[in-house]
Amino acid sequence: MAKTTTKSAKKPAAKAATKPAAKATKPAAKASGASTKSATKAAKPAAKASAKSARKAVAKSGKKPALTLSMLKPSVNNMCVRVFARAAGLDHSETDVWGHTRSPEYMARNPAHLTPMIEDKGLPRGVLWESCAIMQYLANKHGLEKLYPKAPAKRAMIDSAMFYLIGTLYPYVARATYPVLNFPQYAGEVGHSDAHPDKKAEAQKAAIEAIAEPLEVFHSFFRNGKPFIGGKNPSIADIRLAATLEFLAAIDYALPQWAKEYMTAIEKKLGKAYAEPAADVRGYIAYVKSQAAA
């Protein structure tokens, strides 16, 4: 697992499910922050021995990590890059930018005011956002073929799975879960409008019902009998999918058995690299649920 240096742009308000890392009513960009202990034990770390040795050498030398990640802890979009960086064994630092994504300083670098965002000297503009693009770039730069194969046909399937997720599955997940998570919904949609609450509830229900179809596509087409989309080992598409499915706990969505086993297998395979970022998402969901039940 990659050792990370974590900075906080704003003092988190709490730990685990009882105290939120930020007010649920003021989400920034696509999520907010919180933390908790993972419910599952971490298994074998995914980082290679050589990567561990390199990280230790950097730590001893006192050098600043070359890669900086700006993130928001409860967001599954952010979670997947946090998992990836750890699983890949990349030496990096994390900065919690809760409440700062629209600051002049942040927007001067990132006019889209989105997270996650990495800062890397090799980039033409110095920064890069969008989770899938970040994972693709870093996998290419560091030759991480296990996570992102170079063979054109295999890579095309990984890309297709990720694009299908962000273009089809994730919009359904967002419409279904954002009202519960207290995240801002997208302009132009019923949830963002002044429509009657009944209409909003109908739209949310329709989104929940629509999730089953793309979910089955991942099972029958992209996995096609394999443990993961990437084959024997999780790929960047698997990390993106597993992270996305974490949000469905917010609405107590009845995941099919294969999906439950799939998520368990990924966490077991990646160990703490997955469990630690997942704990922040799960903690925020638990907090939101506790507030709704109060």
Side-chain angles (χ1 to χ4, degrees):
M1 181 193 80
K3 183 177 180 182
T4 62
T5 303
T6 306
K7 299 177 182 178
S8 179
K10 187 175 182 181
K11 248 186 179 177
K15 304 172 184 176
T18 55
K19 298 181 182 179
K23 291 184 180 179
T25 54
K26 296 183 180 179
K30 294 184 179 177
S32 56
S35 63
T36 190
K37 292 182 180 178
S38 174
T40 52
K41 293 182 180 179
K44 297 178 182 178
K48 295 180 180 179
S50 58
K52 288 181 181 178
S53 299
R55 291 197 306 278
K56 286 179 181 177
V58 171
K60 286 181 180 179
S61 69
K63 290 181 180 178
K64 183 180 179 182
L67 183 68
T68 300
L69 170 63
S70 295
M71 53 79 192
L72 299 170
K73 290 181 178 178
S75 163
V76 296
N77 299 314
N78 288 254
M79 174 187 158
C80 66
V81 175
R82 297 178 71 201
V83 170
F84 168 83
R86 288 164 169 78
L90 300 180
D91 183 58
H92 68 290
S93 64
E94 292 183 349
T95 300
D96 186 347
V97 292
W98 168 258
H100 292 261
T101 57
R102 290 182 182 270
S103 68
E105 181 186 5
Y106 192 87
M107 291 190 69
R109 294 174 295 158
N110 180 344
H113 52 79
L114 294 175
T115 60
M117 177 186 77
I118 62 167
E119 296 173 60
D120 189 76
K121 291 180 180 178
L123 293 163
R125 300 299 300 273
V127 301
L128 181 69
W129 59 88
E130 293 297 346
S131 60
C132 294
I134 289 172
M135 292 190 291
Q136 289 170 317
Y137 166 71
L138 292 174
N140 285 330
K141 179 177 180 178
H142 298 284
L144 304 171
E145 290 191 57
K146 259 192 175 181
L147 290 165
Y148 194 38
K150 281 188 177 180
K154 289 183 179 179
R155 175 166 287 198
M157 292 301 286
I158 300 300
D159 290 341
S160 179
M162 290 195 301
F163 298 158
Y164 181 63
L165 187 151
I166 61 178
T168 301
L169 177 61
Y170 192 78
Y172 291 151
V173 171
R175 291 167 191 150
T177 63
Y178 279 21
V180 176
L181 295 168
N182 297 314
F183 290 171
Q185 297 184 67
Y186 297 97
E189 297 196 345
V190 176
H192 183 73
S193 71
D194 294 326
H196 190 277
D198 289 347
K199 291 294 182 184
K200 293 183 179 182
E202 286 176 18
Q204 183 184 15
K205 182 182 177 183
I208 293 172
E209 291 173 351
I211 289 170
E213 182 178 305
L215 202 55
E216 177 56 27
V217 171
F218 280 101
H219 175 50
S220 61
F221 183 80
F222 289 112
R223 284 182 70 217
N224 189 30
K226 304 186 300 293
F228 307 106
I229 297 169
K232 292 182 180 179
N233 297 295
S235 66
I236 57 176
D238 291 290
I239 292 173
R240 190 67 184 85
L241 176 58
T244 296
L245 298 183
E246 292 283 348
F247 262 177
L248 294 179
I251 55 172
D252 296 318
Y253 184 85
L255 284 169
Q257 189 59 32
W258 74 262
K260 294 177 185 177
E261 293 171 356
Y262 170 76
M263 293 177 73
T264 299
I266 287 180
E267 184 159 0
K268 184 176 181 181
K269 193 80 173 178
L270 299 181
K272 289 182 180 179
Y274 185 93
E276 290 179 350
D280 291 323
V281 172
R282 294 167 185 169
Y284 180 73
I285 290 172
Y287 164 72
V288 170
K289 283 185 170 183
S290 71
Q291 294 301 296

